[in-house]
Every structure is written in structure tokens, then in C-alpha cells.
Amino acid sequence: MTSSGAPFWSAPKRFPRPLEFSSSDSSHLSFLLAASILRAETFGIPIPDWAKNPKKLAEAVDKVIVPDFHPKQGVKIEIDEKATSLSSASVDDAAVIEELIAKLEAISKTLPPGFHMNPIQFEKDDDTNFHMDLIAGFANMRARNYSIPEVDKLKAKFIAGRIIPAIATSTAMATGLVCLELYKVLAGGHKVEDYRNTFANLAIPLFSMAEPVPPKTIKHQDMSWTVWDRWTVTGNMTLRELLEWLKEKGLNAYSISCGTSMLYNSMFPRHKERLDKKVVDVAREVAKLEVPSYRRHLDVVVACEDDDDNDVDIPLVSIYFR
């Protein structure tokens, strides 16, 4: 029941029904085939030839014993539609992180040397890679749960291809507006109020231009900067040397990242082993960064605090190691 006393599963909500797997159902088997093959590709598991034969796959599947599903006991079901997340007070981030690290370390010991997972890049136009088979299977199984009409693979492919609209006129307009601003940059000598931000909606149509505001100036001790600035460091320094260089500026760095990979975080004890390694070497090792011979610098994002534990946003740091 909801807080108002009405049944939770009442219109417009549709009551879902669980699906009972059957190897004789071609949709079930097609979904399982696609999911199994993509999972095997991700984990580097050899795929036997018979796996793509529906009859032999069905025989293999029927031999698999899946334990009966039993719902968890004592689970509180959220009935407030406005609730979006768990209370932050109920989650101990440090404990969760430590538990996760322990699990990862335990699992890593069971893997063969040099094991790595293989990410799969989605490609809807290849009919032999099972990508659209998986998506269509997922969609149709979900549709059956809620008694929604199912779609065939071609229809699913059509929908998947239009998730991100690509309208040539919008692209041309945005490119033209950007180039107009680029002329001002190349000409030089322009004030901030000479530039324009543009909001455009071709469907209405609406074109609205406004002067951009200057970037926020951040001040720390006797220094000041904006998000458009960049700090450069010359020398093939280690992580420790970078931390000390920032310390001299009154900044305590607690996190250093390169791209989407974290090179150092003061919360993780194992990261202290990296302190005496060159930043570029850690980037090669952790971020799998390829550094061609002509490249002279590396960009890192650093999160810092001042001596009063207040976060301080600093510019991108470029390390010139050559």
C-alpha cells in the first residue's frame, strides 16, 4: 500500500509477471545465445562451434541446474515515488570501498596471469556480432514482463539507431556559430563582451544570443587563476615530487587522475607504493596511456585542499617530461 492507502500496483502502473525460462521458446533461446556469446567475448572464454546451433544449445541449457529464486526476507520496499536515493547516513563509504577492494584482491588471485577483460564496442549495423540480438532480447523479455507489444530485431535496430538524433541542419548551424566565434579568437584583441553564447531551437524556431560572463577567478594566498588557465611543470617528476610542488603553493593534493584513470588517491594505502614512480610511468601502467616519441607533456587533473581542509579547484597541470 502507498502512503495514501491505495494499492501500490494500481493504474497507471502495470503489474509485472515473472517469466519462466523454456528452451523451447525461440525468443528465450535467442536472448540466452546472444548474452552468452558476448559475455564469453568479454571474459576471453573460447566459444565452441556448437554454441551457435539452437538445437545443441537447447540441449546444453537443459542440463544446467539453476537454483530456485527466493525473495530476500526483511526487505523494505520504497513506496514514496519522490524518494530517489538512500539516505547518505545509512551508507558508510569507507567500509563499502574497503570491502570492495578486499573482494577484488581475493578474486584477482584466482585469475590466470595476464588476465584482462575485453570491452565490446557497440555496433548495431553488424548482423553477425549478436549486439542487436541481445538488445532486442532484453527489450522483448522486459516487454513480456509488463504485457507490452514485442518488436522484431529490425524494429529494435531502427529504434537503437535513432536514440541520438543526428540532424544535419542543427550540426551545420552549430558549426557555423562556433566558427564565427573562432574568427574573433584568431583576430585577437576582443573583449569578453564581444563574444556570444547562442541558444537555438529550430523547431520553434528560436534564436537567442547573449554575452558570456567572465570566468570565475579563484584566489589562494597570493595567487589567482580561472578554469581557463593551465599550470606547467618542467621535468620528469615523480608523484611525490608533484605533491611537494603543490605543497609549496599551500595546496594538499589528495587525488591525481589522468583521463578516466586515477593515478593516486590518498585514501588508498596501496597507492603510496606509486609515490616514487614517475608520473608518466604510472600513467602508462595504470591508465594504459600510449606516449608517442613526439609527445613532450602529460596532462593531469589534481584535486586539492588548503590547510583548513577546504577544497580548492586548480587548473589542469601539464607535466613536460621531455
Side-chain angles (χ1 to χ4, degrees):
M1 307 293 284
T2 64
S3 55
S4 62
F8 180 81
W9 291 108
S10 55
K13 296 188 185 75
R14 296 192 184 195
F15 188 83
R17 61 186 179 90
L19 303 181
E20 192 70 32
F21 177 77
S22 171
S23 60
S24 60
D25 188 315
S26 60
S27 295
H28 288 191
L29 206 59
S30 175
F31 167 67
L32 197 65
L33 169 64
S36 300
I37 287 177
L38 293 182
R39 187 171 177 83
E41 289 179 0
T42 303
F43 285 90
I45 300 171
I47 302 170
D49 293 335
W50 59 262
K52 298 179 183 179
N53 183 310
K55 184 178 179 180
K56 292 185 178 179
L57 179 67
E59 292 173 357
V61 168
D62 286 336
K63 295 176 183 177
V64 177
I65 300 175
V66 180
D68 292 336
F69 171 73
H70 297 287
K72 293 180 180 178
Q73 299 297 319
V75 176
K76 180 182 181 299
I77 299 175
E78 183 59 68
I79 59 173
D80 183 1
E81 294 184 356
K82 296 181 180 179
T84 57
S85 61
L86 293 171
S87 170
S88 57
S90 65
V91 180
D92 184 349
D93 288 341
V96 172
I97 291 171
E98 288 298 329
E99 182 183 359
L100 182 58
I101 291 173
K103 286 181 178 178
L104 289 172
E105 289 178 342
I107 292 171
S108 66
K109 294 175 182 177
T110 66
L111 298 173
F115 173 84
H116 68 278
M117 294 181 67
N118 306 305
I120 297 175
Q121 296 296 328
F122 174 61
E123 175 51 65
K124 66 176 175 51
D125 295 320
D126 184 349
D127 292 330
T128 64
N129 61 12
F130 294 97
H131 293 188
M132 284 310 308
D133 298 83
L134 178 69
I135 289 178
F138 259 131
N140 286 332
M141 295 305 102
R142 182 80 168 169
R144 290 189 186 184
N145 286 141
Y146 289 92
S147 303
I148 299 171
E150 297 178 34
V151 297
D152 58 25
K153 181 180 172 182
L154 187 63
K155 178 68 173 176
K157 182 177 178 179
F158 174 76
I159 296 170
R162 292 177 62 87
I163 289 174
I164 302 175
I167 304 175
T169 47
S170 297
T171 306
M173 178 189 66
T175 305
L177 290 168
V178 168
C179 287
L180 288 175
E181 300 306 305
L182 186 58
Y183 290 144
K184 301 172 189 176
V185 175
L186 295 175
H190 285 274
K191 296 175 290 186
V192 173
E193 52 267 28
D194 293 336
Y195 294 89
R196 290 292 181 272
N197 287 331
T198 302
F199 173 82
N201 187 329
L202 292 179
I204 300 178
L206 171 67
F207 298 88
S208 176
M209 293 187 176
E211 296 178 6
V213 295
K216 177 185 175 182
T217 300
I218 300 169
K219 295 183 178 180
H220 174 70
Q221 295 182 355
D222 58 346
M223 300 179 294
S224 63
W225 61 83
T226 72
V227 293
W228 297 111
D229 290 318
R230 179 179 298 223
W231 288 354
T232 59
V233 186
T234 304
N236 192 10
M237 58 172 44
T238 63
L239 281 171
R240 190 186 301 277
E241 289 169 339
L242 178 59
L243 295 177
E244 291 172 354
W245 182 78
L246 292 163
K247 185 69 175 176
E248 292 172 0
K249 298 178 180 292
L251 297 166
N252 303 311
Y254 58 85
S255 175
I256 301 172
S257 58
C258 178
T260 58
S261 299
M262 186 175 295
L263 306 185
Y264 170 78
N265 190 299
S266 59
M267 286 181 59
F268 302 139
R270 292 186 62 180
H271 282 197
K272 290 182 171 57
E273 300 171 4
R274 304 174 181 173
L275 286 174
D276 293 317
K277 294 182 179 180
K278 304 292 186 184
V279 177
V280 66
D281 292 337
V282 177
R284 285 193 183 103
E285 177 187 337
V286 177
K288 308 302 179 187
L289 182 71
E290 294 183 7
V291 184
S293 57
Y294 59 81
R295 186 166 180 179
R296 298 173 49 241
H297 81 281
L298 173 73
D299 295 329
V300 294
V301 176
V302 185
C304 296
E305 295 175 334
D306 59 20
D307 292 333
D308 296 324
D309 294 334
N310 297 313
D311 282 329
V312 180
D313 292 326
I314 70 169
L316 196 69
V317 179
S318 296
I319 302 172
Y320 282 80
F321 52 87
R322 285 180 182 153

